[in-house]
Amino acid sequence: VQLQASGGGLVQAGGSLRLSCAASGNMETVYRMGWYRQAPGKLRESVANITNGGSKIYAEFVKGRFTISIDSAMDSAKNTLTLQMNSLKSEDTAVYYCNANSYVPETYWGQGTLVTVSS
């Protein structure tokens, strides 16, 4: 499974960004995809994830502001995972990573995309 994240950048507080993660490869075994983030000096944390059944879970600190979605069935040979981020805060500044979990079991990571929110 290959994951390619994009869409990060610099935005003012209160603004919006849309992150995308292009997924390809042996997607038949993937049952969950999600976004994580890691701020400088902090541990990587889960932001949001979505299962192959469509269930979504959000971290408390992004509820009501971020939306995770996927453009096709998770087991499609190619799909795009999206994170729409609204009402951004300076504390949302971090490197954002897309992630996929498979039944193999195996965990896959994208290369990360930097989001910087200026106050």
PDB file of all heavy atoms in Angstrom, residues 18-41:
ATOM      1  N   ARG A  18      -7.434  21.863   2.952  1.00  0.00           N
ATOM      2  CA  ARG A  18      -7.939  20.535   2.602  1.00  0.00           C
ATOM      3  C   ARG A  18      -6.741  19.642   2.295  1.00  0.00           C
ATOM      4  O   ARG A  18      -5.990  19.918   1.361  1.00  0.00           O
ATOM      5  CB  ARG A  18      -8.857  20.629   1.384  1.00  0.00           C
ATOM      6  CG  ARG A  18      -9.568  19.355   1.011  1.00  0.00           C
ATOM      7  CD  ARG A  18     -10.449  19.625  -0.207  1.00  0.00           C
ATOM      8  NE  ARG A  18     -11.208  18.469  -0.645  1.00  0.00           N
ATOM      9  CZ  ARG A  18     -12.415  18.162  -0.205  1.00  0.00           C
ATOM     10  NH1 ARG A  18     -12.998  18.937   0.694  1.00  0.00           N
ATOM     11  NH2 ARG A  18     -13.047  17.108  -0.651  1.00  0.00           N
ATOM     12  N   LEU A  19      -6.583  18.598   3.094  1.00  0.00           N
ATOM     13  CA  LEU A  19      -5.511  17.641   2.874  1.00  0.00           C
ATOM     14  C   LEU A  19      -6.036  16.455   2.084  1.00  0.00           C
ATOM     15  O   LEU A  19      -7.172  16.021   2.288  1.00  0.00           O
ATOM     16  CB  LEU A  19      -4.945  17.148   4.206  1.00  0.00           C
ATOM     17  CG  LEU A  19      -4.427  18.205   5.183  1.00  0.00           C
ATOM     18  CD1 LEU A  19      -3.825  17.526   6.411  1.00  0.00           C
ATOM     19  CD2 LEU A  19      -3.416  19.118   4.521  1.00  0.00           C
ATOM     20  N   SER A  20      -5.193  15.942   1.202  1.00  0.00           N
ATOM     21  CA  SER A  20      -5.549  14.760   0.429  1.00  0.00           C
ATOM     22  C   SER A  20      -4.477  13.697   0.591  1.00  0.00           C
ATOM     23  O   SER A  20      -3.297  14.011   0.769  1.00  0.00           O
ATOM     24  CB  SER A  20      -5.693  15.112  -1.056  1.00  0.00           C
ATOM     25  OG  SER A  20      -6.759  15.998  -1.260  1.00  0.00           O
ATOM     26  N   CYS A  21      -4.902  12.453   0.520  1.00  0.00           N
ATOM     27  CA  CYS A  21      -3.983  11.321   0.585  1.00  0.00           C
ATOM     28  C   CYS A  21      -4.372  10.347  -0.510  1.00  0.00           C
ATOM     29  O   CYS A  21      -5.441   9.736  -0.445  1.00  0.00           O
ATOM     30  CB  CYS A  21      -4.046  10.664   1.951  1.00  0.00           C
ATOM     31  SG  CYS A  21      -3.012   9.196   2.117  1.00  0.00           S
ATOM     32  N   ALA A  22      -3.510  10.227  -1.514  1.00  0.00           N
ATOM     33  CA  ALA A  22      -3.750   9.288  -2.603  1.00  0.00           C
ATOM     34  C   ALA A  22      -3.251   7.917  -2.183  1.00  0.00           C
ATOM     35  O   ALA A  22      -2.067   7.756  -1.876  1.00  0.00           O
ATOM     36  CB  ALA A  22      -3.038   9.762  -3.864  1.00  0.00           C
ATOM     37  N   ALA A  23      -4.155   6.951  -2.160  1.00  0.00           N
ATOM     38  CA  ALA A  23      -3.826   5.594  -1.734  1.00  0.00           C
ATOM     39  C   ALA A  23      -3.895   4.662  -2.918  1.00  0.00           C
ATOM     40  O   ALA A  23      -4.800   4.753  -3.757  1.00  0.00           O
ATOM     41  CB  ALA A  23      -4.792   5.142  -0.646  1.00  0.00           C
ATOM     42  N   SER A  24      -2.943   3.727  -2.972  1.00  0.00           N
ATOM     43  CA  SER A  24      -2.932   2.752  -4.055  1.00  0.00           C
ATOM     44  C   SER A  24      -2.229   1.495  -3.569  1.00  0.00           C
ATOM     45  O   SER A  24      -1.582   1.479  -2.530  1.00  0.00           O
ATOM     46  CB  SER A  24      -2.235   3.328  -5.292  1.00  0.00           C
ATOM     47  OG  SER A  24      -0.883   3.645  -4.992  1.00  0.00           O
ATOM     48  N   GLY A  25      -2.359   0.431  -4.362  1.00  0.00           N
ATOM     49  CA  GLY A  25      -1.706  -0.825  -4.013  1.00  0.00           C
ATOM     50  C   GLY A  25      -2.710  -1.869  -3.580  1.00  0.00           C
ATOM     51  O   GLY A  25      -3.853  -1.877  -4.027  1.00  0.00           O
ATOM     52  N   ASN A  26      -2.292  -2.722  -2.666  1.00  0.00           N
ATOM     53  CA  ASN A  26      -3.110  -3.839  -2.220  1.00  0.00           C
ATOM     54  C   ASN A  26      -4.141  -3.371  -1.198  1.00  0.00           C
ATOM     55  O   ASN A  26      -4.074  -3.714  -0.007  1.00  0.00           O
ATOM     56  CB  ASN A  26      -2.216  -4.925  -1.615  1.00  0.00           C
ATOM     57  CG  ASN A  26      -2.973  -6.191  -1.288  1.00  0.00           C
ATOM     58  OD1 ASN A  26      -4.037  -6.451  -1.847  1.00  0.00           O
ATOM     59  ND2 ASN A  26      -2.437  -6.968  -0.360  1.00  0.00           N
ATOM     60  N   MET A  27      -5.102  -2.597  -1.664  1.00  0.00           N
ATOM     61  CA  MET A  27      -6.076  -1.976  -0.770  1.00  0.00           C
ATOM     62  C   MET A  27      -7.128  -2.962  -0.270  1.00  0.00           C
ATOM     63  O   MET A  27      -7.891  -2.630   0.648  1.00  0.00           O
ATOM     64  CB  MET A  27      -6.743  -0.800  -1.463  1.00  0.00           C
ATOM     65  CG  MET A  27      -5.790   0.327  -1.850  1.00  0.00           C
ATOM     66  SD  MET A  27      -5.016   1.077  -0.403  1.00  0.00           S
ATOM     67  CE  MET A  27      -6.441   1.826   0.389  1.00  0.00           C
ATOM     68  N   GLU A  28      -7.163  -4.184  -0.846  1.00  0.00           N
ATOM     69  CA  GLU A  28      -8.212  -5.129  -0.445  1.00  0.00           C
ATOM     70  C   GLU A  28      -8.122  -5.504   1.032  1.00  0.00           C
ATOM     71  O   GLU A  28      -9.103  -5.909   1.632  1.00  0.00           O
ATOM     72  CB  GLU A  28      -8.122  -6.411  -1.276  1.00  0.00           C
ATOM     73  CG  GLU A  28      -8.431  -6.232  -2.752  1.00  0.00           C
ATOM     74  CD  GLU A  28      -7.204  -5.822  -3.536  1.00  0.00           C
ATOM     75  OE1 GLU A  28      -6.134  -5.631  -2.918  1.00  0.00           O
ATOM     76  OE2 GLU A  28      -7.317  -5.682  -4.760  1.00  0.00           O
ATOM     77  N   THR A  29      -6.916  -5.380   1.599  1.00  0.00           N
ATOM     78  CA  THR A  29      -6.733  -5.779   2.994  1.00  0.00           C
ATOM     79  C   THR A  29      -6.884  -4.616   3.976  1.00  0.00           C
ATOM     80  O   THR A  29      -6.806  -4.808   5.184  1.00  0.00           O
ATOM     81  CB  THR A  29      -5.342  -6.397   3.204  1.00  0.00           C
ATOM     82  OG1 THR A  29      -4.346  -5.411   2.903  1.00  0.00           O
ATOM     83  CG2 THR A  29      -5.142  -7.593   2.279  1.00  0.00           C
ATOM     84  N   VAL A  30      -7.085  -3.407   3.470  1.00  0.00           N
ATOM     85  CA  VAL A  30      -7.162  -2.230   4.334  1.00  0.00           C
ATOM     86  C   VAL A  30      -8.565  -2.102   4.911  1.00  0.00           C
ATOM     87  O   VAL A  30      -9.554  -2.151   4.177  1.00  0.00           O
ATOM     88  CB  VAL A  30      -6.783  -0.956   3.558  1.00  0.00           C
ATOM     89  CG1 VAL A  30      -7.037   0.294   4.413  1.00  0.00           C
ATOM     90  CG2 VAL A  30      -5.315  -1.011   3.152  1.00  0.00           C
ATOM     91  N   TYR A  31      -8.666  -1.923   6.222  1.00  0.00           N
ATOM     92  CA  TYR A  31      -9.978  -1.804   6.854  1.00  0.00           C
ATOM     93  C   TYR A  31     -10.189  -0.448   7.530  1.00  0.00           C
ATOM     94  O   TYR A  31     -11.311  -0.123   7.929  1.00  0.00           O
ATOM     95  CB  TYR A  31     -10.183  -2.909   7.901  1.00  0.00           C
ATOM     96  CG  TYR A  31      -9.248  -2.836   9.078  1.00  0.00           C
ATOM     97  CD1 TYR A  31      -9.577  -2.111  10.217  1.00  0.00           C
ATOM     98  CD2 TYR A  31      -8.026  -3.495   9.053  1.00  0.00           C
ATOM     99  CE1 TYR A  31      -8.712  -2.042  11.304  1.00  0.00           C
ATOM    100  CE2 TYR A  31      -7.152  -3.427  10.130  1.00  0.00           C
ATOM    101  CZ  TYR A  31      -7.507  -2.703  11.247  1.00  0.00           C
ATOM    102  OH  TYR A  31      -6.640  -2.634  12.318  1.00  0.00           O
ATOM    103  N   ARG A  32      -9.120   0.343   7.664  1.00  0.00           N
ATOM    104  CA  ARG A  32      -9.256   1.650   8.300  1.00  0.00           C
ATOM    105  C   ARG A  32      -8.186   2.582   7.757  1.00  0.00           C
ATOM    106  O   ARG A  32      -7.030   2.188   7.567  1.00  0.00           O
ATOM    107  CB  ARG A  32      -9.127   1.539   9.818  1.00  0.00           C
ATOM    108  CG  ARG A  32      -9.321   2.873  10.568  1.00  0.00           C
ATOM    109  CD  ARG A  32      -9.318   2.648  12.065  1.00  0.00           C
ATOM    110  NE  ARG A  32      -8.051   2.094  12.505  1.00  0.00           N
ATOM    111  CZ  ARG A  32      -7.909   1.373  13.621  1.00  0.00           C
ATOM    112  NH1 ARG A  32      -8.946   1.112  14.379  1.00  0.00           N
ATOM    113  NH2 ARG A  32      -6.719   0.926  13.965  1.00  0.00           N
ATOM    114  N   MET A  33      -8.572   3.825   7.533  1.00  0.00           N
ATOM    115  CA  MET A  33      -7.623   4.862   7.121  1.00  0.00           C
ATOM    116  C   MET A  33      -7.842   6.083   8.001  1.00  0.00           C
ATOM    117  O   MET A  33      -8.942   6.294   8.542  1.00  0.00           O
ATOM    118  CB  MET A  33      -7.811   5.222   5.647  1.00  0.00           C
ATOM    119  CG  MET A  33      -7.557   4.072   4.697  1.00  0.00           C
ATOM    120  SD  MET A  33      -7.718   4.536   2.977  1.00  0.00           S
ATOM    121  CE  MET A  33      -6.242   5.554   2.780  1.00  0.00           C
ATOM    122  N   GLY A  34      -6.795   6.858   8.130  1.00  0.00           N
ATOM    123  CA  GLY A  34      -6.955   8.016   9.002  1.00  0.00           C
ATOM    124  C   GLY A  34      -5.846   9.029   8.849  1.00  0.00           C
ATOM    125  O   GLY A  34      -4.937   8.874   8.027  1.00  0.00           O
ATOM    126  N   TRP A  35      -5.955  10.084   9.645  1.00  0.00           N
ATOM    127  CA  TRP A  35      -4.975  11.157   9.706  1.00  0.00           C
ATOM    128  C   TRP A  35      -4.421  11.265  11.128  1.00  0.00           C
ATOM    129  O   TRP A  35      -5.181  11.209  12.093  1.00  0.00           O
ATOM    130  CB  TRP A  35      -5.610  12.487   9.305  1.00  0.00           C
ATOM    131  CG  TRP A  35      -5.976  12.563   7.865  1.00  0.00           C
ATOM    132  CD1 TRP A  35      -7.184  12.281   7.302  1.00  0.00           C
ATOM    133  CD2 TRP A  35      -5.109  12.933   6.790  1.00  0.00           C
ATOM    134  NE1 TRP A  35      -7.127  12.458   5.947  1.00  0.00           N
ATOM    135  CE2 TRP A  35      -5.868  12.862   5.598  1.00  0.00           C
ATOM    136  CE3 TRP A  35      -3.776  13.334   6.708  1.00  0.00           C
ATOM    137  CZ2 TRP A  35      -5.332  13.169   4.346  1.00  0.00           C
ATOM    138  CZ3 TRP A  35      -3.243  13.645   5.464  1.00  0.00           C
ATOM    139  CH2 TRP A  35      -4.018  13.557   4.309  1.00  0.00           C
ATOM    140  N   TYR A  36      -3.129  11.427  11.199  1.00  0.00           N
ATOM    141  CA  TYR A  36      -2.437  11.687  12.451  1.00  0.00           C
ATOM    142  C   TYR A  36      -1.671  12.994  12.289  1.00  0.00           C
ATOM    143  O   TYR A  36      -1.461  13.466  11.167  1.00  0.00           O
ATOM    144  CB  TYR A  36      -1.442  10.568  12.771  1.00  0.00           C
ATOM    145  CG  TYR A  36      -2.078   9.285  13.262  1.00  0.00           C
ATOM    146  CD1 TYR A  36      -2.856   8.507  12.422  1.00  0.00           C
ATOM    147  CD2 TYR A  36      -1.900   8.868  14.575  1.00  0.00           C
ATOM    148  CE1 TYR A  36      -3.434   7.331  12.872  1.00  0.00           C
ATOM    149  CE2 TYR A  36      -2.470   7.693  15.031  1.00  0.00           C
ATOM    150  CZ  TYR A  36      -3.237   6.928  14.177  1.00  0.00           C
ATOM    151  OH  TYR A  36      -3.808   5.769  14.629  1.00  0.00           O
ATOM    152  N   ARG A  37      -1.233  13.539  13.401  1.00  0.00           N
ATOM    153  CA  ARG A  37      -0.396  14.729  13.316  1.00  0.00           C
ATOM    154  C   ARG A  37       0.658  14.712  14.408  1.00  0.00           C
ATOM    155  O   ARG A  37       0.483  14.076  15.444  1.00  0.00           O
ATOM    156  CB  ARG A  37      -1.234  16.003  13.414  1.00  0.00           C
ATOM    157  CG  ARG A  37      -1.823  16.293  14.791  1.00  0.00           C
ATOM    158  CD  ARG A  37      -2.739  17.511  14.738  1.00  0.00           C
ATOM    159  NE  ARG A  37      -3.167  17.934  16.070  1.00  0.00           N
ATOM    160  CZ  ARG A  37      -4.059  18.893  16.272  1.00  0.00           C
ATOM    161  NH1 ARG A  37      -4.628  19.534  15.246  1.00  0.00           N
ATOM    162  NH2 ARG A  37      -4.403  19.227  17.513  1.00  0.00           N
ATOM    163  N   GLN A  38       1.734  15.413  14.139  1.00  0.00           N
ATOM    164  CA  GLN A  38       2.804  15.511  15.120  1.00  0.00           C
ATOM    165  C   GLN A  38       3.331  16.933  15.128  1.00  0.00           C
ATOM    166  O   GLN A  38       3.871  17.409  14.127  1.00  0.00           O
ATOM    167  CB  GLN A  38       3.933  14.530  14.810  1.00  0.00           C
ATOM    168  CG  GLN A  38       4.997  14.465  15.885  1.00  0.00           C
ATOM    169  CD  GLN A  38       5.913  13.267  15.719  1.00  0.00           C
ATOM    170  OE1 GLN A  38       5.989  12.647  14.660  1.00  0.00           O
ATOM    171  NE2 GLN A  38       6.622  12.909  16.775  1.00  0.00           N
ATOM    172  N   ALA A  39       3.144  17.596  16.255  1.00  0.00           N
ATOM    173  CA  ALA A  39       3.649  18.951  16.437  1.00  0.00           C
ATOM    174  C   ALA A  39       5.076  18.886  16.979  1.00  0.00           C
ATOM    175  O   ALA A  39       5.465  17.877  17.574  1.00  0.00           O
ATOM    176  CB  ALA A  39       2.747  19.724  17.395  1.00  0.00           C
ATOM    177  N   PRO A  40       5.849  19.930  16.789  1.00  0.00           N
ATOM    178  CA  PRO A  40       7.235  19.929  17.284  1.00  0.00           C
ATOM    179  C   PRO A  40       7.307  19.627  18.778  1.00  0.00           C
ATOM    180  O   PRO A  40       6.597  20.238  19.576  1.00  0.00           O
ATOM    181  CB  PRO A  40       7.707  21.352  16.986  1.00  0.00           C
ATOM    182  CG  PRO A  40       6.873  21.786  15.841  1.00  0.00           C
ATOM    183  CD  PRO A  40       5.526  21.158  16.055  1.00  0.00           C
ATOM    184  N   GLY A  41       8.135  18.654  19.138  1.00  0.00           N
ATOM    185  CA  GLY A  41       8.324  18.318  20.532  1.00  0.00           C
ATOM    186  C   GLY A  41       7.216  17.492  21.146  1.00  0.00           C
ATOM    187  O   GLY A  41       7.228  17.242  22.358  1.00  0.00           O
TER     188      GLY A  41
END
